[in-house]
Amino acid sequence: MEIQYGNYSGIYAIRTKLNNRFYIGSAVNLYNRMHTHLTHFKKNCHRNCKMQRFVNKYGIENIYFECLELCEKENLIKREQFYIDTLNPFYNIAKIAG
């Protein structure tokens, strides 16, 4: 589950292995953001209740992180919105990036 992008910014997906559903997000630091998600899932306090329920039911080993695009910090929201609009992710509760 490691993103090998160090201190890069970009757009990522959290994908489920069992039903091919996913969440789209953006991060100034992809590596740190991934670890924040994992920590919240493990502590059962993730803000996204749909993703948390999946992790609680099927286990954290059934999700994985994928970098969709590296981009400059000033373009993160615009590019995240592009992916939300284009891919219609199941686990995104808010359909507007930000």
Side-chain angles (χ1 to χ4, degrees):
M1 271 200 270
E2 293 294 321
I3 293 179
Q4 302 297 323
Y5 299 106
N7 194 27
Y8 293 104
S9 59
I11 311 304
Y12 64 91
I14 303 174
R15 295 189 180 273
T16 63
K17 294 179 182 178
L18 303 179
N19 60 18
N20 203 31
R21 292 177 173 171
F22 57 92
Y23 168 86
I24 300 291
S26 65
V28 172
N29 183 309
L30 289 166
Y31 183 82
N32 287 346
R33 186 68 183 116
M34 179 191 68
H35 282 285
T36 300
H37 278 294
L38 291 173
T39 299
H40 289 152
F41 285 135
K42 289 174 185 175
K43 291 183 176 183
N44 195 28
C45 66
H46 199 277
R47 290 183 357 180
N48 187 311
C49 59
K50 289 166 77 173
M51 289 281 323
Q52 184 68 60
R53 280 194 298 267
F54 178 91
V55 169
N56 290 350
K57 185 170 184 176
Y58 299 107
I60 202 162
E61 65 276 4
N62 284 303
I63 63 169
Y64 65 97
F65 291 79
E66 175 184 24
C67 179
L68 301 177
E69 176 181 341
L70 298 177
C71 64
E72 299 297 324
K73 295 173 188 175
E74 56 271 7
N75 295 327
L76 284 174
I77 300 302
K78 181 175 79 172
R79 296 304 297 155
E80 180 183 2
Q81 190 62 55
F82 167 80
Y83 283 99
I84 290 171
D85 293 342
T86 304
L87 301 176
N88 192 27
F90 176 81
Y91 287 110
N92 284 66
I93 296 168
K95 298 298 182 184
I96 303 297

